[in-house]
Amino acid sequence: NAGVTQTPKFQVLKTGQSMTLQCAQDMNHEYMSWYRQDPGMGLRLIHYSVGAGITDQGEVPNGYNVSRSTTEDFPLRLLSAAPSQTSVYFCASSLLYGTGGTGELFFGEGSRLTVL
Amino acid sequence: AQKITQTQPGMFVQEKEAVTLDCTYDTSDPSYGLFWYKQPSSGEMIFLIYQGSYDQQNATEGRYSLNFQKARKSANLVISASQLGDSAMYFCAMREDAASGGSYIPTFGRGTSLIVHP
């Protein structure tokens, strides 16, 4: 089982560049999300989706864009990278509670992004 | 206000001893779920244990148990017989249920770093 596949694992950008972090899951999960992890801040939610065609903002959405055209894929786009977006990014998915799961999150391996 | 509070930035424990990692939460929803995840130095996030708000018994998974005190809104993780491989960051998280008005979006605490000494 592939689970949640997240690419790339490492990326260095210059300020102002754009890029897309890819996330795919093969578990037919309705819920997908992107978190960023910064030292001492835990995991902060950027954007999430509860199904194809449905996305919503989390706690720290500014500077990021998402789309959910299929159940499997949930890419995260950085529109114009800034040094403040230097972070480790995690994609995570789960069944929605009440549809057969507890809401346990399955995580990708993480993507370390550095913006110079 | 934070919904999940982990007050211990760092903890140390001797190998083979037990350790408790604290987690308190804030919700007015009657239906919610509590989770603990482990993040070793390699960076991946690993699910450890789950407790539902209506579960009568404390959850256990091998050496992990969740000390659930509903009235105090605490969900402490107990690791028995610590091993060197338990050295990691530990995150507590809560899911509030949509059916009871919650957002069903998991919220994470800031984590506790556990170091196990030989």
Side-chain angles (χ1 to χ4, degrees):
Chain A
N1 271 347
V4 179
T5 303
Q6 187 181 334
T7 58
K9 291 187 179 178
F10 300 94
Q11 183 74 48
V12 178
L13 291 177
K14 294 181 179 178
T15 297
Q17 288 184 320
S18 62
M19 76 156 297
T20 300
L21 295 173
Q22 301 290 346
C23 178
Q25 52 90 11
D26 61 358
M27 297 172 283
N28 203 31
H29 286 170
E30 304 99 335
Y31 178 78
M32 295 188 74
S33 56
W34 279 100
Y35 289 88
R36 60 176 289 172
Q37 182 179 21
D38 303 292
M41 299 299 291
L43 290 162
R44 293 184 292 170
L45 183 65
I46 304 171
H47 285 286
Y48 66 95
S49 167
V50 297
I54 305 169
T55 63
D56 208 343
Q57 297 181 350
E59 181 185 356
V60 288
N62 292 341
Y64 307 95
N65 199 5
V66 292
S67 60
R68 183 101 180 263
S69 56
T70 67
T71 300
E72 294 78 19
D73 299 300
F74 191 49
L76 177 73
R77 297 181 186 86
L78 280 70
L79 308 173
S80 177
S84 61
Q85 293 178 303
T86 294
S87 188
V88 178
Y89 293 84
F90 286 96
C91 179
S93 71
S94 75
L95 291 171
L96 288 175
Y97 179 72
T99 65
T102 64
E104 167 200 345
L105 286 172
F106 293 77
F107 285 86
E109 293 183 332
S111 299
R112 184 174 294 275
L113 175 67
T114 302
V115 183
L116 303 175
Chain B
Q2 285 190 23
K3 289 199 170 187
I4 295 286
T5 302
Q6 295 180 253
T7 57
Q8 307 152 313
M11 289 283 287
F12 297 88
V13 66
Q14 202 75 26
E15 192 178 11
K16 300 180 184 178
E17 293 187 346
V19 63
T20 297
L21 306 184
D22 294 342
C23 173
T24 58
Y25 59 92
D26 181 24
T27 182
S28 57
D29 288 323
S31 179
Y32 53 91
L34 297 155
F35 306 82
W36 278 92
Y37 294 87
K38 173 184 178 181
Q39 185 180 40
S41 59
S42 51
E44 71 269 32
M45 295 287 290
I46 303 166
F47 166 74
L48 294 178
I49 196 166
Y50 166 80
Q51 178 87 42
S53 59
Y54 293 120
D55 294 342
Q56 295 297 313
Q57 305 221 344
N58 288 342
T60 60
E61 290 286 348
R63 294 185 299 109
Y64 304 108
S65 61
L66 200 153
N67 184 0
F68 181 46
Q69 298 188 42
K70 197 169 183 177
R72 297 180 60 186
K73 295 187 176 179
S74 74
N76 299 339
L77 177 70
V78 180
I79 305 174
S80 63
S82 297
Q83 302 172 355
L84 297 178
D86 294 334
S87 295
M89 283 290 291
Y90 289 82
F91 292 96
C92 180
M94 176 177 66
R95 176 215 72 232
E96 295 166 289
D97 295 335
S100 61
S103 70
Y104 55 70
I105 307 304
T107 304
F108 284 80
R110 296 190 174 188
T112 295
S113 174
L114 175 67
I115 296 176
V116 180
H117 287 301

